Amino acid sequence: AASTGKPRALISLSDKTNLDMLVKGLKELGIEIVSTGGTATTISNSGVPCIKVEDVTGFPEMLDGGSCNGMLHPALRGGNRCQKGCRVRAAELRLGRGMGSRLCVIVNLYPFRKTVTATPAPAFEVGVENIDIGGPAMIRAAAKNMAHVAVVAQHGAGILKAGRGRQGGRRETTSCGCGSWGGWGSRGSGGSGGCWRWAAASWQCLLEGRGRHRWGGTGRQWRWRRRVGDSGLVVRQAGGTEAAERSSPPPHPHNCPLDADAAYQCCCDYTEPSCVIVKHTNPCGIASRADLREAYRLAVRADPISAFGGIVAFNRPVDAELAREIREFRSPQDNETKMFYEIVIAPGYTPDGLEVLKGKSKNLRILEAQPRAPSGLSLRQVAGGWLWQDADSLQPEAITFTCVSEAQPTQQQLEDLKFAWRWVR
């Protein structure tokens, strides 16, 4: 298929979501489409003309597409590398297969991480088949010529804007493409076990944007929220505050996620129905009772002044009765002032309980998260690096306590010490 002189888009997608809408938009812009095996079939079925890669390269598909459909062929990669105004490179291309220069490359990569972390675990050979070769090569080759070729590797990356020839759009989508490849490199080391387990000597951590907070540690500081993405650090489906569902709209101030994490991890460390209150990462009160309402009252009474404006965590679902207790409870200081909180977090809420709690304050953030006691890795930043250690997850039941004083504790005192040890460790 000799070049017609029209701009061309090279498309090779594993995830074909909204592909029909994409190619119809490109057709309206007068852009010819070149594509690979399964993607080319999907495009043709949508009624949009499509040139197959093998018709450009003269290289047939082999090994069920495992040969990358000729994606590494100079007729494809050369079009990515040809810079406008460079007569030598343009002449080289005319002597080649005629792909010519290209407007955009639209590629997403094999779902390697999703495959190797699936349950049940796939066969080793399946993981190998999901190691992408041609995709990363195409992204890198096109990104190197970002002044003239847009690289699109993520959904919603402004494909048609780049297609209209805006250089800012090309740079934006190229940035997304490079980020996608870099992330895939982290994903490639993020398998759940066996041969795919990452090595501690060399470790990548992909952080995904989760939005901007109202302020940082002070009103002068911007703060962005990031979540550990598809890398070896992720503990799959392990719960915790970062994966919490929010049932109320106000954004978090800087300290709230830290306090919520401290409160919820501590609360989830107890097997009995418990309530934990934290403010500015400092403990205000904790109590365990069969009646969760009573646990809440005792936790507030431990230090009602500090608890005011704090974070309240429960390790059991919040029902309507507990929600009313939270909404109406007065400060023990004067028995008049209703307690105010930034966040209430629990593993679940009944429909009635959620509605009652939403009526407490328009600024109350209501979070629902899967329980997660301290586990996995613990990271802390220091200037120029990070400290990395296992989370402190030792349970008091696993400890043999030895009394070294003449006075011996009663059994109740020993149980109280274990309760306190779990809280302050």
Side-chain angles (χ1 to χ4, degrees):
S3 174
T4 61
K6 293 182 179 180
R8 285 180 170 179
L10 174 62
I11 305 179
S12 179
L13 300 176
S14 174
D15 181 355
K16 299 176 179 62
T17 304
N18 295 328
L19 176 57
D20 57 339
M21 182 174 63
L22 165 65
V23 294
K24 289 175 183 177
L26 293 174
K27 179 184 176 183
E28 291 176 2
L29 293 171
I31 299 174
E32 290 184 335
I33 296 172
V34 178
S35 190
T36 59
T39 306
T41 300
T42 302
I43 294 172
S44 297
N45 291 340
S46 70
V48 176
C50 176
I51 303 170
K52 292 186 176 180
V53 162
E54 51 261 41
D55 294 334
V56 174
T57 64
F59 191 88
E61 179 177 344
M62 298 173 60
L63 305 176
D64 295 325
S67 65
C68 305
N69 246 3
M71 291 285 280
L72 303 182
H73 195 282
L76 295 182
R77 296 189 68 194
N80 293 341
R81 293 293 312 282
C82 178
Q83 299 176 3
K84 292 181 180 179
C86 182
R87 296 180 180 178
V88 174
R89 289 187 177 179
E92 289 176 352
L93 286 176
R94 284 195 294 271
L95 292 174
R97 294 288 181 174
M99 180 63 188
S101 60
R102 181 174 314 111
L103 182 65
C104 61
V105 172
I106 303 171
V107 179
N108 58 38
L109 307 180
Y110 290 173
F112 175 84
R113 172 262 176 201
K114 182 179 180 180
T115 299
V116 300
T117 60
T119 302
F124 177 78
E125 293 75 14
V126 175
V128 170
E129 285 299 314
N130 277 272
I131 297 175
D132 207 327
I133 300 173
M138 293 302 295
I139 290 173
R140 285 179 164 182
K144 193 163 185 176
N145 192 25
M146 71 176 72
H148 309 294
V149 179
V151 186
V152 181
Q154 297 180 7
H155 286 295
I159 296 172
L160 299 185
K161 179 174 69 175
R164 292 186 175 92
R166 293 177 55 182
Q167 187 170 6
R170 289 193 294 271
R171 289 179 178 176
E172 177 182 338
T173 56
T174 297
S175 177
C176 291
C178 293
S180 176
W181 161 243
W184 194 91
S186 294
R187 294 182 184 101
S189 63
S192 59
C195 296
W196 305 119
R197 189 175 299 278
W198 46 263
S202 179
W203 174 45
Q204 289 180 318
C205 175
L206 174 66
L207 299 180
E208 299 173 347
R210 292 273 285 169
R212 191 173 69 188
H213 287 217
R214 283 191 296 175
W215 54 74
T218 70
R220 302 182 299 276
Q221 296 170 268
W222 288 106
R223 183 176 190 271
W224 286 86
R225 189 177 177 192
R226 296 276 173 175
R227 177 178 64 184
V228 176
D230 297 330
S231 72
L233 181 64
V234 175
V235 182
R236 315 292 178 199
Q237 300 178 346
T241 54
E242 185 52 41
E245 297 291 332
R246 191 169 67 185
S247 299
S248 50
H252 295 303
H254 171 80
N255 290 329
C256 283
L258 301 176
D259 290 349
D261 183 65
Y264 198 54
Q265 284 204 57
C266 176
C267 197
C268 292
D269 204 16
Y270 288 84
T271 57
E272 307 87 355
S274 301
C275 173
V276 172
I277 304 177
V278 168
K279 184 176 181 182
H280 298 163
T281 64
N282 292 313
C284 304
I286 178 173
S288 295
R289 288 292 186 274
D291 183 351
L292 202 52
R293 292 177 300 170
E294 182 60 21
Y296 165 69
R297 297 184 194 112
L298 291 172
V300 175
R301 290 182 178 127
D303 188 353
I305 295 177
S306 297
F308 195 90
I311 278 72
V312 183
F314 299 96
N315 63 356
R316 297 289 191 279
V318 175
D319 59 18
E321 290 186 354
L322 177 57
R324 290 190 190 95
E325 190 73 23
I326 299 170
R327 187 180 71 179
E328 302 298 334
F329 192 77
R330 263 61 175 175
S331 171
Q333 291 296 109
D334 58 14
N335 293 318
E336 292 183 2
T337 305
K338 287 185 179 181
M339 294 297 295
F340 164 75
Y341 304 113
E342 291 277 4
I343 291 176
V344 173
I345 182 169
Y349 301 84
T350 65
D352 290 343
L354 186 59
E355 287 304 312
V356 171
L357 205 53
K358 285 181 177 179
K360 179 172 175 59
S361 168
K362 66 179 182 180
N363 291 320
L364 177 66
R365 300 154 188 87
I366 304 170
L367 302 184
E368 178 178 338
Q370 296 181 44
R372 181 178 181 180
S375 60
L377 296 177
S378 175
L379 295 175
R380 183 159 185 172
Q381 188 176 16
V382 294
W386 296 82
L387 301 177
W388 174 14
Q389 64 181 1
D390 292 333
D392 189 356
S393 57
L394 181 63
Q395 303 294 324
E397 292 79 10
I399 300 174
T400 300
F401 290 90
T402 302
C403 181
V404 296
S405 63
E406 293 183 4
Q408 297 294 308
T410 66
Q411 186 60 38
Q412 183 58 53
Q413 288 173 331
L414 184 59
E415 292 303 315
D416 289 344
L417 286 171
K418 290 180 179 180
F419 182 93
W421 187 89
R422 192 193 302 266
W423 165 242
V424 301
R425 70 156 187 251

